Amino acid sequence: MDSQTKKNIEDILTPLKLSSFGFAELKKPLTIEAYKKWINKDFHGSMSFLKDHLAFKEFPKTLFNQARSAIVITKDYFPAPKPHKAPVQNLRLAEYAKNSDYHHWFQNELEQICQSLRLQFPHDLFIAMSDSKPVLERDLAQQAGLGWFGKNTCLIQSQQGSLFFIGEIYTSLTLTPIQALHPDRCGTCTKCIDACPTQALVEPYVLNANRCISYLTIEKRGDIPPEIMPQMNDWFFGCDICQTVCPWNEKVFGSNIKKEQTSYKEVTPQLINDLRWILNTSGKKLLKELKETPLTRTRASGLKRNALIVIANLKITELFSEVLMCKEQDSLKSTAQWCEAQLSGTCPNSSR
Ligand code: B12
Ligand code: SF4
Ligand code: SF4
């Protein structure tokens, strides 16, 4: 990479005040063997696309013939830079899901960067992606020197913690890393593994998605194993615990994030209203009202299923009749029956 190319790209990116950026060559990911082992153990659950995408992830140049390198960009999502106002504000959402769907706004920001790059390099290819193509994004960002793999599997930067998205621009330019690999700073810490409520971090750096609240509330379709539902606490969509207990996030964000995310939500009339709204609203209307948010990923039946689990775990007897109504729907029947069993015997006015 000649120094003028590097300078021209940096001149475009630096004024944008991105959280961080770096360059990586498109080569076999450093952690591809760990990825294959993970797939072979079926830790991906029903996310079959992760298995199907293996070849593109192992040989990144095959995704776009002309691509040679990637410009990797991170974007902080806490406190929410693009908050949405959907009527789920009182439910326990992962921090990323308090933002509008990053697959749209972050992707758009990356597209705009591509436009500027095309003006500077009219004969070259630039393709923007963020969780939209088969790319092993954490590995690519690690190669670009933008963080290390924590034992919770998230990419962490010592100055920024881990609450950031990763996006990349594949290009035909030949770029080499401008930063060295970020050293591992987990040391002997195991806080994330110890704090995971469902024991999904089965060993350092290995997450069994089948047990992960994030997977169960977002990606899993249908019923959730009954032995895990009580451990999901009041998480409605996603989970942040293995990140909020991380000393590197505590260092960057202070006590705010920890307090907000590691304690149960108080059962307020507003929280009950949000849950009632989810259960009483038709699937079509729910998806319409939530269309700017990432919550539609789990579909309407997933949102209703998640609401039932929160109701059961918080023992919200005020919604008993709504729970009974869900028993009439095939897709919710068994979760509603389980929820009913958790609630029955609880007097509506007793302390929780
Ligand atoms: C599938 C997926 C999920 C799944 C599986 C998560 C997972 N850990 O794999 C589920 C639904 C559970 C999920 C949850 C979340 N996700 Co997600 N997810 C993805 C996706 C689409 C693919 C990830 C993947 O390939 N997993 C495969 C497994 C094998 O990878 P891995 O667990 O990271 O394991 C690696 C390391 O452990 C490492 N490794 C293994 N052994 C060893 C040993 C040593 C010594 C070392 C150093 C490394 C190492 O190698 C493995 C392979 O790279 C990416 C987007 C993308 N295209 O890459 C986003 C992505 C990883 N997710 C992201 C986010 C924000 C989240 C959540 C925070 C959302 C939330 N709050 O609910 C949580 C975080 C949970 C967690 N602890 O990971 C961000 C991560 C940003 C970051 N800073 O790391 C990404 C990159 C999306 C984006 N474009 O920003 N996600
Ligand atoms: S996101 Fe939650 S459930 Fe998943 S590994 Fe982290 S703490 Fe465990
Ligand atoms: S909690 Fe500790 S072990 Fe886990 S990712 Fe953070 S520093 Fe690493």
Side-chain angles (χ1 to χ4, degrees), residues 9-21 71 73-75 106 108-117 169:
I9 299 177
E10 286 177 343
D11 285 350
I12 291 171
L13 297 182
T14 307
L16 301 177
K17 298 202 174 10
L18 302 160
S19 307
S20 67
F21 67 86
I71 301 167
I73 291 170
T74 69
K75 186 87 186 176
F106 187 30
N108 285 343
E109 288 185 15
L110 294 168
E111 300 281 1
Q112 280 169 23
I113 296 173
C114 285
Q115 303 281 11
S116 308
L117 288 164
I169 295 172

Side-chain angles (χ1 to χ4, degrees), residues 152 244 299:
N152 60 7
T244 50
R299 303 179 189 172

